[in-house]
Amino acid sequence: MSQTRQFSLPDLFAVCPLEGDINPHYKEAGAESAEWINSYDVFVDRQKAFFKQSCNELLVAHVYPYAG
């Protein structure tokens, strides 16, 4: 005999309306950051491609929108 369970999640956007933002220095700082990482030649071909596709600079620009 199986019993069905239901969960009701609260509307988190209504409770905590977050607005996304991006750091204004993203393009310049992101390029400098990628160049700096590449200068250490740590990653081989597949790792380098994976790291580049992960868009770490964009993630940081969204997490720290007000950093100088």
XYZ file of all heavy atoms in Angstrom:
546
model
N 0.838 -1.175 0.000
C 0.000 0.000 0.000
C 0.894 1.253 0.000
O 1.653 1.464 0.924
C -0.844 -0.025 1.271
C -2.212 0.464 1.064
S -3.208 -0.162 2.418
C -3.911 1.289 2.982
N 0.836 2.027 -1.054
C 1.656 3.233 -1.103
C 0.829 4.449 -0.691
O -0.365 4.539 -0.950
C 2.213 3.434 -2.504
O 1.179 3.705 -3.394
N 1.519 5.346 -0.038
C 0.859 6.548 0.441
C 1.501 7.751 -0.259
O 2.722 7.883 -0.283
C 1.044 6.652 1.952
C 0.192 7.680 2.598
C 0.343 7.618 4.116
O 1.312 7.097 4.631
N -0.623 8.158 4.816
N 0.702 8.599 -0.856
C 1.204 9.761 -1.570
C 1.454 10.894 -0.578
O 0.620 11.192 0.263
C 0.184 10.234 -2.620
O -0.107 9.143 -3.481
C 0.723 11.387 -3.421
N 2.648 11.511 -0.735
C 2.989 12.655 0.118
C 3.046 13.911 -0.746
O 3.508 13.868 -1.878
C 4.348 12.451 0.771
C 4.365 11.366 1.775
C 5.700 11.324 2.442
N 5.757 10.268 3.422
C 6.801 9.993 4.155
N 7.902 10.680 4.015
N 6.768 9.017 5.027
N 2.570 14.989 -0.191
C 2.636 16.269 -0.883
C 3.344 17.274 -0.006
O 3.187 17.273 1.220
C 1.236 16.793 -1.187
C 0.583 16.127 -2.364
C -0.705 16.820 -2.728
O -1.528 17.113 -1.858
N -0.879 17.095 -4.007
N 4.114 18.115 -0.662
C 4.800 19.193 0.030
C 4.403 20.499 -0.624
O 4.385 20.603 -1.849
C 6.322 19.025 -0.076
C 6.842 17.803 0.614
C 7.090 16.639 -0.096
C 7.081 17.815 1.974
C 7.570 15.514 0.535
C 7.560 16.687 2.616
C 7.807 15.534 1.894
N 4.109 21.479 0.181
C 3.806 22.813 -0.331
C 4.954 23.734 0.033
O 5.273 23.903 1.218
C 2.510 23.349 0.275
O 1.428 22.562 -0.139
N 5.567 24.302 -0.975
C 6.665 25.228 -0.748
C 6.128 26.646 -0.733
O 5.263 26.995 -1.539
C 7.714 25.077 -1.845
C 8.385 23.714 -1.945
C 9.319 23.687 -3.144
C 9.147 23.397 -0.675
N 6.659 27.487 0.144
C 6.195 28.875 0.174
C 6.691 29.627 -1.066
O 7.664 29.243 -1.698
C 6.843 29.436 1.444
C 8.035 28.575 1.669
C 7.684 27.215 1.152
N 6.006 30.690 -1.391
C 6.410 31.544 -2.499
C 7.565 32.420 -2.018
O 7.362 33.497 -1.459
C 5.229 32.394 -2.970
C 5.574 33.235 -4.184
O 6.704 33.133 -4.700
O 4.688 34.001 -4.610
N 8.787 31.951 -2.224
C 9.962 32.656 -1.708
C 10.183 34.003 -2.381
O 10.719 34.919 -1.771
C 11.202 31.772 -1.854
C 11.171 30.475 -1.049
C 12.412 29.651 -1.328
C 11.047 30.756 0.438
N 9.782 34.134 -3.632
C 9.942 35.416 -4.312
C 9.025 36.487 -3.720
O 9.365 37.665 -3.712
C 9.685 35.263 -5.816
C 10.740 34.461 -6.504
C 10.455 33.221 -7.030
C 12.042 34.931 -6.607
C 11.429 32.473 -7.659
C 13.029 34.198 -7.228
C 12.726 32.959 -7.760
N 7.865 36.093 -3.217
C 6.959 37.053 -2.586
C 7.468 37.463 -1.209
O 7.340 38.610 -0.799
C 5.561 36.453 -2.467
N 8.070 36.519 -0.491
C 8.574 36.784 0.855
C 9.871 37.587 0.810
O 10.091 38.474 1.621
C 8.796 35.451 1.610
C 9.414 35.686 2.968
C 7.501 34.687 1.733
N 10.726 37.281 -0.139
C 12.043 37.918 -0.229
C 12.320 38.282 -1.686
O 13.052 37.572 -2.372
C 13.105 36.956 0.304
S 14.757 37.637 0.311
N 11.749 39.373 -2.160
C 11.934 39.729 -3.568
C 13.362 40.226 -3.838
O 13.725 41.340 -3.482
C 10.906 40.835 -3.796
C 10.707 41.439 -2.448
C 10.927 40.335 -1.452
N 14.164 39.376 -4.434
C 15.541 39.737 -4.745
C 15.615 40.306 -6.157
O 14.941 39.828 -7.064
C 16.435 38.500 -4.652
C 16.519 37.841 -3.288
C 17.341 36.550 -3.391
C 17.146 38.770 -2.277
N 16.440 41.303 -6.307
C 16.661 41.874 -7.625
C 18.094 41.581 -8.033
O 19.023 41.844 -7.282
C 16.425 43.383 -7.606
C 14.981 43.755 -7.376
C 14.749 45.248 -7.452
O 15.537 45.932 -8.118
O 13.789 45.707 -6.830
N 18.262 41.023 -9.201
C 19.594 40.708 -9.689
C 20.341 41.958 -10.113
O 19.748 42.946 -10.536
N 21.637 41.908 -9.983
C 22.484 43.008 -10.409
C 23.815 42.413 -10.846
O 24.124 41.271 -10.532
C 22.691 44.002 -9.272
C 23.062 45.386 -9.765
O 23.150 45.582 -10.994
O 23.275 46.274 -8.927
N 24.576 43.173 -11.555
C 25.882 42.710 -12.021
C 26.904 43.806 -11.769
O 26.586 44.992 -11.849
C 25.831 42.307 -13.510
C 27.110 41.598 -13.915
C 25.542 43.478 -14.393
C 27.018 40.886 -15.246
N 28.099 43.408 -11.434
C 29.155 44.359 -11.149
C 29.483 45.162 -12.411
O 29.650 44.591 -13.487
C 30.398 43.591 -10.674
C 31.433 44.499 -10.081
O 31.957 45.365 -10.767
N 31.726 44.307 -8.816
N 29.589 46.488 -12.287
C 29.867 47.305 -13.469
C 31.266 47.075 -14.041
O 31.539 47.454 -15.175
C 29.717 48.739 -12.960
C 29.898 48.642 -11.495
C 29.407 47.296 -11.089
N 32.154 46.453 -13.278
C 33.523 46.193 -13.726
C 33.673 44.810 -14.357
O 34.783 44.369 -14.617
C 34.497 46.305 -12.551
C 34.382 47.583 -11.797
N 34.783 48.795 -12.323
C 33.879 47.845 -10.574
C 34.552 49.745 -11.440
N 33.998 49.206 -10.373
N 32.544 44.128 -14.601
C 32.573 42.735 -15.045
C 33.413 42.507 -16.300
O 34.286 41.646 -16.317
C 31.152 42.215 -15.265
C 31.082 40.976 -16.123
C 31.669 39.790 -15.693
C 30.460 40.990 -17.358
C 31.624 38.657 -16.481
C 30.402 39.860 -18.137
C 30.991 38.699 -17.698
O 30.954 37.578 -18.477
N 33.181 43.261 -17.348
C 33.869 42.993 -18.618
C 35.378 43.156 -18.491
O 36.147 42.276 -18.893
C 33.328 43.890 -19.724
C 31.942 43.490 -20.159
C 31.517 44.206 -21.395
C 30.131 43.710 -21.768
N 29.717 44.135 -23.074
N 35.810 44.260 -17.917
C 37.250 44.517 -17.792
C 37.896 43.565 -16.781
O 38.906 42.927 -17.072
C 37.496 45.965 -17.373
C 38.960 46.311 -17.266
C 39.180 47.746 -16.813
O 38.207 48.516 -16.725
O 40.338 48.077 -16.542
N 37.299 43.467 -15.602
C 37.879 42.623 -14.559
C 37.787 41.141 -14.928
O 38.690 40.358 -14.606
C 37.178 42.870 -13.227
N 36.713 40.741 -15.590
C 36.576 39.350 -16.017
C 37.653 38.952 -17.006
O 38.232 37.869 -16.919
N 37.950 39.829 -17.950
C 39.001 39.555 -18.930
C 40.362 39.489 -18.253
O 41.174 38.601 -18.547
C 38.991 40.626 -20.015
N 40.621 40.408 -17.324
C 41.890 40.393 -16.594
C 42.028 39.138 -15.742
O 43.107 38.553 -15.666
C 42.000 41.636 -15.704
C 42.180 42.924 -16.477
C 42.152 44.141 -15.578
O 42.046 44.003 -14.345
O 42.232 45.268 -16.115
N 40.941 38.729 -15.121
C 40.950 37.531 -14.284
C 41.234 36.284 -15.122
O 42.052 35.432 -14.748
C 39.610 37.388 -13.565
O 39.561 36.183 -12.845
N 40.564 36.159 -16.258
C 40.781 35.008 -17.135
C 42.217 34.979 -17.644
O 42.852 33.915 -17.692
C 39.800 35.054 -18.300
N 42.746 36.137 -17.997
C 44.133 36.224 -18.464
C 45.104 35.821 -17.351
O 46.090 35.119 -17.591
C 44.418 37.648 -18.936
C 45.762 37.829 -19.593
C 45.954 39.255 -20.095
O 44.983 39.841 -20.608
O 47.081 39.762 -19.973
N 44.819 36.254 -16.139
C 45.673 35.924 -14.988
C 45.678 34.417 -14.734
O 46.732 33.817 -14.541
C 45.180 36.686 -13.760
C 45.965 36.427 -12.529
C 47.213 36.897 -12.232
C 45.561 35.645 -11.410
N 47.600 36.443 -11.000
C 46.612 35.669 -10.467
C 44.411 34.917 -11.109
C 46.548 34.999 -9.256
C 44.351 34.257 -9.894
C 45.402 34.301 -8.986
N 44.486 33.800 -14.753
C 44.390 32.340 -14.556
C 45.156 31.611 -15.653
O 45.920 30.680 -15.386
C 42.916 31.881 -14.545
C 42.175 32.416 -13.340
C 42.796 30.368 -14.627
C 42.509 31.770 -12.034
N 44.987 32.038 -16.899
C 45.654 31.382 -18.027
C 47.172 31.548 -17.987
O 47.902 30.714 -18.513
C 45.112 31.899 -19.356
C 43.705 31.406 -19.623
O 43.308 30.347 -19.156
N 42.950 32.189 -20.375
N 47.647 32.613 -17.356
C 49.096 32.845 -17.293
C 49.827 31.792 -16.465
O 51.020 31.581 -16.638
C 49.391 34.241 -16.731
O 49.143 34.274 -15.336
N 49.108 31.114 -15.574
C 49.734 30.075 -14.747
C 49.775 28.721 -15.453
O 50.426 27.805 -14.988
C 49.007 29.946 -13.408
C 49.333 31.089 -12.485
C 48.502 32.201 -12.412
C 50.472 31.070 -11.716
C 48.797 33.253 -11.575
C 50.797 32.121 -10.883
C 49.947 33.207 -10.821
O 50.255 34.252 -9.998
N 49.083 28.601 -16.577
C 49.090 27.380 -17.390
C 48.831 26.132 -16.536
O 49.546 25.135 -16.622
C 50.416 27.259 -18.139
C 50.280 26.456 -19.406
O 49.156 26.392 -19.941
O 51.290 25.888 -19.849
N 47.796 26.210 -15.705
C 47.446 25.136 -14.785
C 46.619 24.058 -15.471
O 46.777 22.879 -15.184
C 46.652 25.701 -13.581
C 46.235 24.600 -12.634
C 47.463 26.749 -12.864
N 45.756 24.450 -16.387
C 44.815 23.525 -17.006
C 45.321 23.013 -18.352
O 45.935 23.757 -19.112
C 43.459 24.205 -17.216
C 42.847 24.722 -15.962
C 42.630 26.077 -15.792
C 42.477 23.873 -14.942
C 42.050 26.570 -14.639
C 41.898 24.347 -13.789
C 41.688 25.697 -13.633
N 45.037 21.748 -18.615
C 45.302 21.195 -19.945
C 44.069 21.426 -20.804
O 43.078 21.989 -20.346
C 45.668 19.696 -19.868
C 47.011 19.512 -19.192
C 44.609 18.887 -19.175
N 44.084 20.975 -22.038
C 43.067 21.326 -23.030
C 41.625 21.171 -22.555
O 40.855 22.121 -22.594
C 43.286 20.511 -24.300
C 44.620 20.840 -24.949
O 45.095 21.964 -24.759
O 45.171 19.971 -25.636
N 41.228 19.972 -22.142
C 39.832 19.752 -21.740
C 39.490 20.548 -20.478
O 38.402 21.100 -20.367
C 39.576 18.267 -21.488
C 39.448 17.474 -22.771
C 39.090 16.056 -22.504
N 37.683 15.990 -22.103
C 37.067 14.882 -21.768
N 37.707 13.742 -21.745
N 35.802 14.896 -21.416
N 40.410 20.585 -19.531
C 40.163 21.331 -18.296
C 40.045 22.821 -18.591
O 39.207 23.513 -18.025
C 41.294 21.097 -17.297
C 41.354 19.708 -16.743
C 42.588 19.506 -15.881
O 43.627 20.106 -16.125
N 42.467 18.660 -14.877
N 40.884 23.309 -19.479
C 40.842 24.731 -19.839
C 39.507 25.075 -20.496
O 38.901 26.100 -20.193
C 42.005 25.065 -20.768
C 42.161 26.550 -21.039
C 43.319 26.826 -21.978
C 44.622 26.654 -21.250
N 45.779 27.097 -22.035
N 39.043 24.217 -21.389
C 37.759 24.448 -22.058
C 36.611 24.413 -21.055
O 35.716 25.264 -21.093
C 37.540 23.403 -23.148
N 36.640 23.447 -20.153
C 35.599 23.348 -19.129
C 35.604 24.583 -18.232
O 34.556 25.153 -17.933
C 35.808 22.088 -18.288
C 34.791 21.911 -17.202
C 33.505 21.478 -17.496
C 35.111 22.191 -15.887
C 32.565 21.326 -16.496
C 34.178 22.042 -14.883
C 32.904 21.608 -15.189
N 36.780 25.016 -17.813
C 36.891 26.194 -16.947
C 36.380 27.437 -17.666
O 35.668 28.256 -17.085
C 38.342 26.384 -16.506
C 38.514 27.445 -15.467
C 38.201 27.190 -14.143
C 38.981 28.698 -15.808
C 38.352 28.175 -13.180
C 39.136 29.690 -14.853
C 38.817 29.416 -13.536
N 36.722 27.569 -18.927
C 36.281 28.738 -19.693
C 34.770 28.745 -19.876
O 34.125 29.785 -19.790
C 36.978 28.750 -21.059
C 36.771 30.003 -21.839
C 37.637 30.032 -23.071
C 37.504 31.365 -23.761
N 38.422 31.497 -24.869
N 34.168 27.573 -20.114
C 32.724 27.472 -20.309
C 31.938 27.682 -19.015
O 30.749 27.964 -19.060
C 32.363 26.114 -20.901
C 32.796 25.951 -22.322
C 32.528 24.550 -22.847
O 32.129 23.665 -22.105
N 32.767 24.350 -24.133
N 32.596 27.563 -17.874
C 31.880 27.680 -16.601
C 31.539 29.123 -16.241
O 30.742 29.365 -15.341
C 32.689 27.044 -15.473
O 33.898 27.754 -15.280
N 32.117 30.089 -16.933
C 31.804 31.520 -16.730
C 31.949 31.947 -15.271
O 31.056 32.603 -14.715
C 30.414 31.841 -17.249
S 30.194 31.546 -18.992
N 33.052 31.595 -14.651
C 33.279 31.957 -13.255
C 33.274 33.465 -13.030
O 32.793 33.937 -12.004
C 34.610 31.371 -12.770
C 34.563 29.878 -12.688
O 33.740 29.328 -11.987
N 35.440 29.214 -13.418
N 33.808 34.213 -13.985
C 33.842 35.664 -13.834
C 32.433 36.245 -13.764
O 32.157 37.159 -12.987
C 34.615 36.306 -15.004
C 36.072 35.923 -15.057
C 36.340 34.643 -15.834
O 35.380 34.023 -16.344
O 37.515 34.269 -15.928
N 31.520 35.695 -14.566
C 30.131 36.162 -14.554
C 29.457 35.819 -13.231
O 28.719 36.631 -12.669
C 29.363 35.559 -15.721
C 27.906 35.985 -15.873
C 27.801 37.502 -16.036
C 27.276 35.276 -17.063
N 29.736 34.636 -12.706
C 29.188 34.236 -11.410
C 29.633 35.204 -10.320
O 28.817 35.693 -9.535
C 29.624 32.815 -11.062
C 29.280 32.331 -9.662
C 27.768 32.262 -9.466
C 29.921 30.993 -9.382
N 30.907 35.509 -10.291
C 31.428 36.435 -9.282
C 30.834 37.828 -9.463
O 30.513 38.511 -8.487
C 32.971 36.473 -9.330
C 33.528 37.552 -8.429
C 33.543 35.114 -8.952
N 30.643 38.263 -10.697
C 30.069 39.584 -10.960
C 28.639 39.683 -10.436
O 28.193 40.749 -10.007
C 30.093 39.888 -12.451
N 27.914 38.572 -10.431
C 26.543 38.555 -9.887
C 26.552 38.443 -8.363
O 25.675 39.004 -7.688
C 25.732 37.413 -10.478
C 25.220 37.690 -11.845
N 24.226 38.609 -12.103
C 25.552 37.167 -13.041
C 23.987 38.646 -13.398
N 24.781 37.778 -13.988
N 27.518 37.729 -7.807
C 27.562 37.540 -6.357
C 28.069 38.799 -5.649
O 27.613 39.121 -4.558
C 28.457 36.325 -6.004
C 28.677 36.214 -4.505
C 27.848 35.045 -6.542
N 29.000 39.502 -6.274
C 29.560 40.728 -5.685
C 29.272 41.927 -6.585
O 30.188 42.504 -7.188
C 31.063 40.576 -5.472
C 31.433 39.471 -4.535
C 31.925 38.270 -5.001
C 31.275 39.623 -3.161
C 32.272 37.248 -4.142
C 31.606 38.612 -2.289
C 32.102 37.419 -2.789
O 32.435 36.419 -1.924
N 27.998 42.331 -6.701
C 27.677 43.411 -7.638
C 28.211 44.791 -7.229
O 28.305 45.667 -8.063
C 26.155 43.398 -7.683
C 25.743 42.831 -6.375
C 26.818 41.840 -6.027
N 28.563 44.949 -5.944
C 28.997 46.275 -5.485
C 30.476 46.335 -5.153
O 30.951 47.347 -4.669
C 28.180 46.695 -4.255
C 26.703 46.699 -4.529
C 25.873 45.761 -3.969
C 26.157 47.622 -5.408
C 24.514 45.741 -4.251
C 24.800 47.612 -5.697
C 23.993 46.670 -5.115
O 22.643 46.659 -5.400
N 31.213 45.272 -5.421
C 32.658 45.273 -5.130
C 33.377 46.198 -6.083
O 33.038 46.291 -7.252
C 33.208 43.854 -5.253
N 34.376 46.886 -5.559
C 35.164 47.810 -6.377
C 36.190 47.099 -7.212
O 36.447 45.937 -7.109
